Amino acid sequence: MTLDNRPTLLQERLMQAPPSDQGEPSVAPRLPICARELIALPLLIIVSDITIFRGQGFAGIGLLLAVAPLLLALGIVPRKLDSSVWILAPLLALTSVRLFWCGSEAAVIAGFVLLIGYAMGLSGLRPHVLQGAVFTAHLVSAGHHGLHLYSRALSRFSPAILRSNAISVILPAVTLVVFGAIFIMANPDLVISFGTGLTQITEFLQSLLRDVKPLEFVFCIAVGWISVGLLRPEVKQVVADHEDKPAPIVPADAPLYEAWRNTLAMVIGLFGVYLIFEFQTLWFRVFPKGFHYSGYAHEGAAWLTVALALATLLLSMIFRGMVLADPRLPRLKRMAWIWSVENLLLAIAVFNRLFIYVGFNGMTRMRVIGFLGVTSVVFGFILVVIKIRQNRDFVWLFRRQLWTVTFAGYLYAVLPVDAFVNEYNVRRILAGDPAPSVQISVHPTTAEGLLRLSPLIHCEDVTIRRGIRAILAEALPRFENRTFSQQKLGWTALQFADFRLRDQLLELKSVWEGDEDQDRRSQALDDFRSYAYQWY
C-alpha cells in the first residue's frame, strides 16, 4: 500500500467496528465505560451480598430494594429516563416498606419485577411486561459483553507501570522488598512494630476469610454479572411506533362484517334478557335461611367473570384488521357501545354477588383476590373500548392488559390484606353480626392481621371473647420466640409487625391471665370454632 492509499483514522475505526445489522434492531450499541458505573457496580455487589447471601429475612431484601434503585440511577450507562421511572420509584419504595413491616415471598417477587422495570425505564425503555421478559433474558448476554468491554478497557484505568513488560515490574518490586527488609532488620523497634502490624493484618485477613464461604464468591460473581447487564442493557424498545399513533386505515369492505354484526346483535339480546333475570333474582331481596351463597355468590360470580373476559376477547377479535377499514364501521361501533353498557352492568352484577357473599360471613383473602380479579377484567374491558374508539391495534391493547393484571398482583402483594380483612370482620362483629367470626376461626393470618383482633377481647359475645383471648394467648409465646430469633439473626431478619404484635400482646396479657390453663384455653378454642362454623 502506498502512502497516498493508506486509510485515514476514521476509516480504520470503521474497519475495526463490528458491522451493523439492520435486521436486529433490538440490540443497543455499546457505550464507553464511565467512572460512575465503576462506582455503582461494586456497591451493588456488596449490598446484594449483605442483604441476600448474608441476609436472614425480608428486611434485607427491603433495604436492597431501597438502595439498588439509587445505585442503578447512578451507574446505568444509556440513561434516557422514560416517564415510567416516576411511577415505579414510589412503588419500589412502598414494596421496601412492606418488606420491613411484614414481608412475604409475593412482595419479594413484586419488588424484583419492579426493579427490572425501573432499570428499563432508566435506560429509556417502556416497561411492558413481555418487553421486560426479553430484557431479563438478555441480562446474561449483556453482562458478558459488558465484562468483555471492561477487560479490554482495563489497561486504560491502570498505572502506566503495570502496562509494561513483566520484568520491568518484578525487578523493582524484588529490590524494594530486599532493601526494605534490610532497613527494618537494622532497627529493633521497627522489627517489633512491623511484626506486630503484620500479625494484626494476618489475623484480620484470616477472620475475614473464615467467614467467607466458597459459594459466596460464586454468588458475588453472579450478582456482578447480572449487575453489569442491568447497567449496560442491550435491548431496545420493540414495536415502539405503536405507542404514538393509531393503526393506519385503508378503506375496504371486510368479509366478516355481517358475521360480526349478527354476533353483536345476538349477544346484545342475550345479555339484555340475562340482566333482567339477574336483577329480579338477586337484587333488593332478603335471602332465606339455607340460601346457596357459595353457588350464587362465589361460583356464580366466577362464571360471570368468565363471561366478561370472553366479551373482552370477542370485542378485541371483532375490531381489528379489515373491520377497522370497513365503511360500515360506525354502525358496528354503535352496537359495540350498547353491548359495552350491558357488560358494565354485568360487572356491577358480579360485584353485587361478591358483596352478597361478604355480607353473609365476612371478608377473606380469596375474596380480596376476587375483587381485584373482577376489577382487572373490568379495566381490561374499558381498554378494549378505548382501543375501538381510537382505532388502536392489538399490540397496544395486549400490552396494557398485561399491565392491568400485573398491577393487580402487585397490589395484593404489598397491601396489608390481612389487616384489612380482620379489621373489616372485627367491625362487623362489634356491630352485632357474629357471622364473620368464622373467617377468624378457620383462616390463618399474619402478625398484621392478629394486631387487628385486640378489640374483640372485650366482645359482648362470650364465646367469641374467650376464643379470641385464647388465640392471642397462644400467639404470645410464638411471637416472643420469633422476635428473639430475628434479633439473634440480625437486622436483615427483623419484621416490625412481629415486634409490634409482641409488645401489644404483652400489654394485654393481664386480660387473659385467668385463662392461662392450657386445657381451658383449648376448650375455649374448640367452642369458638364450633360456634363460628354455623356460618361457614
Side-chain angles (χ1 to χ4, degrees), residues 101-114:
W101 170 250
C102 188
S104 65
E105 289 79 6
V108 172
I109 295 173
F112 281 111
V113 170
L114 285 174

Side-chain angles (χ1 to χ4, degrees), residues 331-351:
R331 182 181 178 185
L332 207 62
K333 282 188 175 182
R334 284 194 295 270
M335 299 179 71
W337 302 147
I338 297 173
W339 194 35
S340 298
V341 172
E342 290 182 334
N343 273 277
L344 292 178
L345 292 175
L346 185 64
I348 295 173
V350 175
F351 280 115

